[in-house]
Amino acid sequence: MAPERIVLRFNATTSDKPVIYHLVKKYNLIINILKARINPHKEGMMVLELHGEPEQYAHGLEYLRSMGVTIQPLSEQVQHNETICNHCGACINVCPSGALYLERPDMKVKFDNEKCLVCLMCVKACPYKAMEVYF
Amino acid sequence: MAGEKSLPEINKRIKKGKVVVLTAEEVIPVVQELGLKKAAAEVDVVTTGTFGAMCSSAAYFNFGHTKPRMKMTEVWLNGVNAYAGIAAVDALIGATEVMKNDPLNSIHPGEFRYGGGHVIHDLVAKKPIHLRATAHGTDCYPRREIDTVITIDDLNQAVLFNPRNAYQNYNVAVNLSDKTVYTYLGVLKPQLGNANYSTSGQLSPLLKDPYLRTIGIGSRIFLGGGIGYVAWQGTQHCPSITALPNGGSLIEGGTLAVIGDLKQMQPEWLMGASILGYGVSLAVGLGVPIPVLNEEILYWASRTDEEIYAPVIDYGLAYPAGNPEPLAYVTYAQLKSGTIKVDGKEVPTGPMSSYPAAKKIATMLKQWIEQGSFLLTEPVAPLPSIGEAAPLNPLAETESQTDGKGELIWLPNA
Ligand code: SF4
Ligand code: SF4
């Protein structure tokens, strides 16, 4: 199964339960936490990338719902924050699609949204957090 | 040598508004057109610049005394540990210090979202910073704890002091291993998937005065968007020039220790860096003016990307093991073109330090000099030049003497 990206929302009673642990343990899912936040009211939000057997995946989501977690598919976009970007170039070779590229001879880094696969590699690799995710 | 200029003469021209300043990039076509002799007579100063993550950067502060008094023994700024073993209310924060409870590489590659470099940036950006400190309490300094918020304006002194910046040249990092590696030179894909480099080449300060004829202790420089000074040779300073087997020469190994008042610096030029799988650092903007005292100085200052070489090193296996034998030597012109050839393979290149930012620094420094707000300084003492620094030794490990319970035995005369 290709990795699926989902947004989870937790209420105050489930936000402290080890649900991710169970997803790994019981359903054998490979989990990549792309984003996690918890507000002062103890409500949580988490963006996950899940990998696993389709059947296990379906059971995993069922389990999450049974725990009172709401699930939404992820529709995200990546933005190049040009006020933060200093054109260091650290993102150029991690980008698999050529959406980030160097313009020569200026050596300035440009972002072509059309080509972006939203793989988020640049978001992790940019040392200055100039590549931002929007939902 | 004919056509020698002195530094006081150049400063006089700066004060009169008659100085001719070019960036290290702009000077190249001028020398090509006029020739060295004529160009050296016309050009007074060449400005250089570099902007990239530079570990071995730090800042120290004096917080001011608390009431009642306190001798801080442990200090955290926004949760990042600062070294307080200096004095009662002095502390030093290092660029690579990570946050308390950072997951580090426990989920590899770690993200290292915040650390010392970010604290330095946030201070310069005048953001409020959480200061927490503890102490054991003494008769003269009874207080044991403080939890407060400060800004840079509240500090008596805030000084940027970087023990090693402006590395003369840097390795080009590739990966010969079978898995992706996460290094201080970025993400390196397996089997020569990419090659990362990290100097500004023809704009890079110490590549433009390789013998350190004009750069010395006390040289006034552009540092972090403000004014700084060369304080000393940087750690690991050991400049060298080596003839390469296929022609050309490799210049590498020089470094600078620099210092400056953090309060007059700009956040744009001191950026906290989170290097995936590696750690935290500080990107420092640094620019050095080179006075064109004679033709020889201009010869080096006008060298081009085609003439400046860097070694290609395997960061997959050889470098981590401590055996960095160069796989090839390439020029900055080749690196900037987008691909280099290593072991017969075309490898895509990527920079880690910003050429556009380096150019902007060299241009800002040029403007400061033209406007008369930045005078050049004669070094008060020279730095060790090529062949003058002691060679760098690796750490020699000796077997420690223990008492059998794991405690070290100190031999007084050993
Ligand atoms: S890594 Fe970040 S700062 Fe560097 S060029 Fe890419 S987006 Fe800009
Ligand atoms: S999200 Fe992926 S494809 Fe899009 S710009 Fe970043 S690295 Fe490139």
Side-chain angles (χ1 to χ4, degrees):
Chain A
M1 181 186 105
E4 292 280 345
R5 296 232 174 98
I6 53 170
V7 184
L8 309 183
R9 286 176 209 283
F10 302 81
N11 56 30
T13 50
T14 47
S15 66
D16 59 0
K17 300 251 159 56
V19 292
I20 300 303
Y21 173 79
H22 286 294
L23 279 186
V24 178
K25 269 303 241 202
K26 277 203 207 149
Y27 304 100
N28 235 343
L29 298 176
I30 300 167
I31 294 177
N32 197 359
I33 301 177
L34 302 176
K35 198 168 186 171
R37 246 199 240 130
I38 188 153
N39 69 18
H41 309 294
K42 291 231 152 128
E43 291 159 345
M45 183 277 248
M46 200 179 250
V47 182
L48 298 183
E49 189 178 69
L50 295 174
H51 242 305
E53 290 295 316
E55 209 170 305
Q56 299 274 52
Y57 176 75
H59 286 313
L61 294 197
E62 230 166 80
Y63 159 73
L64 285 174
R65 288 198 190 94
S66 76
M67 295 300 292
V69 179
T70 48
I71 304 169
Q72 290 170 333
L74 176 67
S75 54
E76 65 197 357
Q77 282 216 335
V78 168
Q79 265 195 28
H80 181 212
N81 184 330
E82 296 194 32
T83 48
I84 300 177
C85 176
N86 66 53
H87 306 280
C88 70
C91 54
I92 293 306
N93 282 319
V94 300
C95 177
S97 69
L100 282 160
Y101 61 97
L102 268 176
E103 204 172 59
R104 296 186 164 78
D106 275 16
M107 305 301 281
K108 286 205 168 142
V109 171
K110 295 274 149 115
F111 174 55
D112 180 355
N113 197 14
E114 298 283 290
K115 286 192 182 161
C116 176
L117 308 171
V118 200
C119 72
L120 306 186
M121 266 316 292
C122 57
V123 177
K124 290 188 208 157
C126 172
Y128 310 100
K129 304 180 187 98
M131 296 308 294
E132 297 167 343
V133 189
Y134 281 83
F135 296 103
Chain B
M1 193 188 285
E4 292 267 344
K5 255 183 257 174
S6 75
L7 205 111
E9 270 165 32
I10 292 174
N11 276 339
K12 237 186 235 165
R13 292 165 68 80
I14 296 175
K15 285 184 201 153
K16 280 193 191 149
K18 287 194 172 150
V19 71
V20 178
V21 191
L22 294 176
T23 69
E25 194 187 72
E26 293 164 345
V27 76
I28 291 167
V30 172
V31 170
Q32 280 164 358
E33 200 195 309
L34 299 180
L36 265 181
K37 196 172 172 191
K38 250 187 146 178
E42 272 185 28
V43 181
D44 298 312
V45 184
V46 173
T47 59
T48 63
T50 179
F51 184 74
M54 300 189 197
C55 297
S56 204
S57 296
Y60 64 85
F61 321 104
N62 177 273
F63 297 115
H65 281 285
T66 57
K67 249 185 190 177
R69 282 179 193 271
M70 176 175 182
K71 186 162 82 77
M72 299 175 180
T73 45
E74 282 207 275
V75 170
W76 296 270
L77 293 167
N78 282 353
V80 182
N81 192 229
Y83 179 70
I86 315 176
V89 290
D90 284 358
L92 177 137
I93 191 155
T96 67
E97 187 73 36
V98 294
M99 260 188 104
K100 204 165 46 174
N101 305 326
D102 189 290
L104 306 173
N105 266 338
S106 59
I107 304 166
H108 191 262
E111 293 189 30
F112 303 94
R113 299 193 66 79
Y114 196 86
H118 300 89
V119 173
I120 295 171
H121 169 84
D122 285 346
L123 270 166
V124 178
K126 297 199 186 280
K127 288 191 195 161
I129 306 282
H130 176 224
L131 162 66
R132 176 173 160 70
T134 56
H136 52 259
T138 74
D139 289 342
C140 46
Y141 292 96
R143 188 160 176 179
R144 289 175 183 224
E145 219 175 341
I146 186 167
D147 239 297
T148 185
V149 174
I150 52 140
T151 71
I152 194 169
D153 296 329
D154 303 325
L155 301 172
N156 287 323
Q157 282 85 19
V159 181
L160 187 75
F161 178 51
N162 302 344
R164 182 179 65 248
N165 274 182
Y167 234 121
Q168 195 159 31
N169 201 344
Y170 227 95
N171 296 336
V172 178
V174 295
N175 177 9
L176 295 182
S177 81
D178 291 329
K179 62 174 194 1
T180 299
V181 292
Y182 299 85
T183 73
Y184 66 84
L185 283 170
V187 182
L188 302 172
K189 292 186 266 185
Q191 293 168 352
L192 292 171
N194 59 313
N196 287 357
Y197 64 98
S198 188
T199 85
S200 54
Q202 63 191 16
L203 276 171
S204 184
L206 296 187
L207 284 171
K208 306 314 300 264
D209 181 11
Y211 286 89
L212 299 126
R213 296 263 153 81
T214 70
I215 306 168
I217 296 170
S219 290
R220 185 177 289 136
I221 60 171
F222 174 111
L223 181 60
I227 285 177
Y229 296 88
V230 174
W232 201 250
Q233 65 195 67
T235 52
Q236 294 177 21
H237 175 76
C238 189
S240 68
I241 185 165
T242 318
L244 296 176
N246 301 322
S249 58
L250 176 69
I251 292 162
E252 61 179 355
T255 69
L256 298 176
V258 296
I259 193 162
D261 181 5
L262 194 65
K263 292 193 177 198
Q264 43 96 51
M265 294 184 192
Q266 306 291 330
E268 183 188 354
W269 300 111
L270 291 171
M271 289 289 292
S274 300
I275 303 170
L276 189 63
Y278 175 72
V280 167
S281 189
L282 180 72
V284 180
L286 195 153
V288 176
I290 299 171
V292 181
L293 302 176
N294 55 47
E295 279 172 48
E296 194 204 337
I297 286 168
L298 187 62
Y299 165 75
W300 290 108
S302 62
R303 296 241 302 174
T304 65
D305 281 336
E306 283 80 16
E307 298 165 293
I308 305 173
Y309 285 80
V312 181
I313 305 276
D314 168 33
Y315 276 63
L317 301 165
Y319 182 92
N323 312 312
E325 273 303 310
L327 303 166
Y329 297 94
V330 291
T331 67
Y332 281 93
Q334 289 164 336
L335 287 164
K336 278 190 198 157
S337 77
T339 49
I340 55 169
K341 241 194 177 138
V342 183
D343 284 352
K345 194 181 163 186
E346 294 271 328
V347 185
T349 59
M352 290 297 291
S353 98
S354 171
Y355 193 80
K359 200 160 144 179
K360 201 166 159 191
I361 289 168
T363 308
M364 282 170 76
L365 184 52
K366 170 183 159 167
Q367 286 160 355
W368 292 354
I369 298 168
E370 283 173 342
Q371 288 156 7
S373 59
F374 187 108
L375 292 176
L376 271 53
T377 51
E378 195 107 46
V380 292
L383 296 173
S385 180
I386 288 174
E388 290 175 6
L392 299 177
N393 291 319
L395 177 65
E397 295 176 63
T398 40
E399 208 151 300
S400 53
Q401 309 255 351
T402 57
D403 61 1
K405 291 179 218 142
E407 288 293 315
L408 267 184
I409 299 171
W410 292 103
L411 304 173
N413 299 317

